[in-house]
Amino acid sequence: MASAKKAVLGPLVGAVDQGTSSTRFLVFNSKTAELLSHHQVEIKQEFPREGWVEQDPKEILQSVYECIEKTCEKLGQLNIDISNIKAIGVSNQRETTVVWDKLTGEPLYNAVVWLDLRTQSTVESLSKRIPGNNNFVKSKTGLPLSTYFSAVKLRWLLDNVRKVQKAVEEDRALFGTIDSWLIWSLTGGASGGVHCTDVTNASRTMLFNIHSLEWDKELCEFFEIPMKILPNVRSSSEIYGLMKISHSPKAGALEGVPISGCLGDQSAALVGQMCFQDGQAKNTYGTGCFLLCNTGRKCVFSEHGLLTTVAYKLGRDKPVYYALEGSVAIAGAVIRWLRDNLGIIKSSEEIEKLAKEVGTSYGCYFVPAFSGLYAPYWEPSARGIICGLTQFTNKCHIAFAALEAVCFQTREILDAMNRDCGIPLSHLQVDGGMTNNKILMQLQADILYIPVVKPSMPETTALGAAMAAGAAEGVGVWSLEPEDLSAVTMERFEPQINAEESEIRYSTWKKAVMKSMGWVTTQSSESGMP
């Protein structure tokens, strides 16, 4: 029986999806794009001081092993032969910064997460050194100077952590974003691990020239980053190395399988949503919210607070594609905050139930600027506020306002995108964990006043990484030709309120955003070590 089943399935592709709040390993059928099995583990976030966000790189790596092992067990129970897994792709939370010792494989400090604000003073002093008439950082990288990107986090580690300084002096230090840390570890670590990254992750460090597609000497000098610690930059779809994890017996079944796809999570979702044409866009609802629009082979610079970034480069000899990105720091994270900090829900799913009870925020607005405001404002001094409260307000209204906040923030970046592109989007393609929330999806359609379209398989980030891995030269089990891409079933949400009401709510939201700004004057919580 099992052999008959194996024959039907054909080649499989695995994907590691290492996000900010959880890690997953998923296995897809490369011919039908069907998800066969997966496992997910939540990741701890540490907040050692106000505004600081860290994770343990070893816990992240362990969670990857655990997800691989559990998924392989589940495939075994389904009578699916794991020797059919022909390639593995990696997709990851971007910008999060790790420095480790290449001789021992030990991290030299916790991973400094993209949301972390400790570098605000570093950003302020650096910005004074950029000439007003020549913002070479923005023109080379497509990014505004912000705590969000890796270069300033790495600068902080070099300035403040003696173990990191010493390892750099002794030539033992390697820097990487999460993709690099995982690929290095999964291909052997201290015994022969491959130190590389792909163009999409490199484009989020602020050290990478998005035109020449290489580390930029001038940028490295500006941030005073030694180039010898940087990973090699590769395309998003090629064989980087082979799985070498014999110490993990169950995951060891994948020994020798090529790791051949690597995309930052937002690029991976763009690929997984099949947005290969200029003008196609997707919005992913994860810890944050990220709207990316494919701009084809040209870099488009935004006039309205969006980032210019590398979308993908699907092969060594393939062209690079660019995207405009609207980045919102806090989306799903606001739900986690209601759960972990306020305790008004026990699980993230409960938010839908609370919101449904009232069906309105009753004039309550929630601006979750926990890490300042990202696009389109780039206002680091903002902090979270809940306003419009009365004695009538209860936890259900706050839950509803939290969901609305995600939708309003999306509307702000969609408006910016429409202004930059000149052609308004006629519908919004969405994905990510929060899209399982039907109230959120309906609210989003109402607030944008365009249909919201969601694939029935929401794991598009992992799918994108699997597609890149399976399509790599030397693997060749996944065709990315338009005629070979399987049709995806979609669920559609149409706007149900009148446009005028939508506009009134949106303008009140903007008033609330203004009230959240200018909250923090100087960052007192930054200097030195915990």
Side-chain angles (χ1 to χ4, degrees):
M1 174 58 213
S3 57
K5 192 146 187 192
K6 282 177 218 166
V8 179
L9 282 175
L12 313 178
V13 179
V16 172
D17 178 2
Q18 205 300 299
T20 313
S21 54
S22 72
T23 300
R24 305 179 186 70
F25 183 68
L26 305 91
V27 174
F28 296 92
N29 178 335
S30 67
K31 296 299 171 234
T32 62
E34 178 197 359
L35 173 60
L36 299 175
S37 187
H38 67 102
H39 188 75
Q40 179 170 358
V41 171
E42 199 171 294
I43 295 289
K44 278 204 283 293
Q45 296 187 35
E46 298 171 28
F47 307 101
R49 293 192 187 184
E50 195 201 356
W52 292 30
V53 190
E54 298 179 2
Q55 290 176 335
D56 176 355
K58 289 174 82 170
E59 183 196 340
I60 290 175
L61 181 60
Q62 226 20 72
S63 72
V64 170
Y65 291 140
E66 185 182 337
C67 287
I68 291 175
E69 288 177 11
K70 292 283 199 292
T71 305
C72 287
E73 279 174 25
K74 290 175 185 178
L75 288 171
Q77 288 158 8
L78 294 168
N79 271 343
I80 296 169
D81 187 350
I82 52 180
S83 67
N84 280 344
I85 298 175
K86 300 302 180 203
I88 289 171
V90 173
S91 135
N92 56 289
Q93 51 169 316
R94 304 167 306 167
E95 301 97 14
T96 296
T97 298
V98 189
V99 180
W100 68 94
D101 185 321
K102 66 181 176 193
L103 303 180
T104 63
E106 289 294 309
L108 296 163
Y109 192 76
N110 268 345
V112 180
V113 176
W114 56 279
L115 285 165
D116 185 281
L117 298 178
R118 76 187 66 185
T119 54
Q120 189 51 41
S121 51
T122 313
V123 167
E124 283 161 17
S125 57
L126 284 168
S127 62
K128 294 190 181 90
R129 293 174 34 206
I130 298 176
N133 58 354
N134 171 25
N135 188 341
F136 64 96
V137 176
K138 186 151 192 208
S139 56
K140 285 178 181 227
T141 65
L143 310 172
L145 193 56
S146 159
T147 57
Y148 180 20
F149 307 106
S150 317
V152 287
K153 299 178 192 299
L154 182 50
R155 183 67 259 142
W156 187 91
L157 290 168
L158 292 165
D159 287 338
N160 293 285
V161 184
R162 183 66 194 121
K163 275 171 81 173
V164 172
Q165 297 160 350
K166 199 162 175 302
V168 171
E169 288 156 18
E170 294 170 10
D171 221 7
R172 291 182 285 114
L174 296 178
F175 153 79
T177 40
I178 296 293
D179 54 308
S180 302
W181 163 243
L182 292 180
I183 292 173
W184 185 82
S185 302
L186 293 170
T187 54
S191 33
V194 178
H195 188 218
C196 69
T197 186
D198 88 299
V199 288
T200 68
N201 279 298
S203 78
R204 313 298 293 190
T205 58
M206 239 177 179
L207 301 169
F208 185 71
N209 186 313
I210 60 175
H211 312 284
S212 65
L213 300 184
E214 49 198 17
W215 299 122
D216 190 287
K217 199 164 175 299
E218 188 188 5
L219 290 170
C220 290
E221 282 165 6
F222 175 71
F223 290 104
E224 298 177 75
I225 303 295
M227 291 181 83
K228 63 181 183 183
I229 70 175
L230 304 178
N232 291 320
V233 183
R234 317 270 287 266
S235 79
S236 312
S237 175
E238 59 178 271
I239 295 176
Y240 312 111
L242 306 181
M243 289 282 278
K244 189 169 156 195
I245 46 171
S246 41
H247 66 276
S248 166
K250 289 174 188 158
L254 299 181
E255 191 78 9
V257 174
I259 298 179
S260 53
C262 177
L263 289 154
D265 53 9
Q266 303 312 321
S267 287
L270 195 72
V271 171
Q273 285 263 28
M274 330 270 173
C275 296
F276 294 126
Q277 306 298 314
D278 187 346
Q280 284 186 301
K282 65 89 208 168
N283 194 33
T284 300
Y285 299 77
T287 297
C289 226
F290 300 89
L291 176 64
L292 269 72
C293 182
N294 189 330
T295 60
R297 298 183 191 186
K298 59 189 185 303
C299 271
V300 176
F301 282 87
S302 170
E303 302 292 313
H304 302 98
L306 304 179
L307 312 177
T308 304
T309 201
V310 174
Y312 52 79
K313 182 181 192 298
L314 294 172
R316 216 176 293 191
D317 310 320
K318 295 283 196 305
V320 64
Y321 280 72
Y322 294 96
L324 272 175
E325 171 175 317
S327 331
V328 168
I330 304 291
V334 74
I335 314 302
R336 191 166 170 165
W337 183 83
L338 290 174
R339 184 193 74 182
D340 297 347
N341 296 37
L342 291 197
I344 67 173
I345 48 174
K346 287 194 174 63
S347 73
S348 301
E349 293 70 43
E350 257 179 75
I351 187 106
E352 194 168 359
K353 201 167 93 234
L354 284 189
K356 208 177 203 151
E357 273 179 43
V358 286
T360 169
S361 61
Y362 213 82
C364 166
Y365 286 79
F366 189 163
V367 182
F370 299 160
S371 291
L373 287 165
Y374 283 17
Y377 303 101
W378 298 104
E379 184 45 78
S381 72
R383 284 298 176 273
I385 60 166
I386 302 177
C387 52
L389 301 175
T390 66
Q391 282 175 306
F392 183 76
T393 312
N394 64 30
K395 64 181 183 179
C396 298
H397 300 116
I398 290 172
F400 199 94
L403 294 181
E404 276 188 320
V406 174
C407 300
F408 285 132
Q409 291 183 104
T410 296
R411 163 111 189 234
E412 292 187 309
I413 51 179
L414 187 80
D415 283 358
M417 191 76 76
N418 287 341
R419 288 204 288 274
D420 275 325
C421 296
I423 317 152
L425 290 175
S426 58
H427 65 274
L428 183 65
Q429 279 177 243
V430 301
D431 58 82
M434 291 186 86
T435 60
N436 292 327
N437 185 326
K438 288 194 166 30
I439 288 192
L440 179 75
M441 292 296 94
Q442 186 55 55
L443 263 179
Q444 188 67 85
D446 289 345
I447 287 169
L448 297 179
Y449 220 68
I450 55 174
V452 167
V453 182
K454 145 190 199 279
S456 52
M457 199 286 295
E459 301 286 356
T460 39
T461 300
L463 178 60
M467 288 163 66
E473 194 181 328
V475 177
V477 298
W478 204 308
S479 165
L480 299 183
E481 296 306 319
E483 62 275 12
D484 296 327
L485 293 172
S486 21
V488 181
T489 50
M490 295 285 197
E491 191 176 350
R492 221 177 142 86
F493 296 84
E494 301 281 347
Q496 285 175 358
I497 62 171
N498 65 43
E500 193 186 356
E501 189 190 340
S502 184
E503 288 311 311
I504 293 168
R505 276 156 69 176
Y506 184 47
S507 61
T508 313
W509 158 264
K510 290 197 138 164
K511 211 159 73 179
V513 169
M514 291 306 155
K515 294 196 187 309
S516 76
M517 290 186 189
W519 210 258
V520 178
T521 39
T522 54
Q523 285 284 357
S524 52
S525 59
E526 284 181 352
S527 47
M529 294 286 298

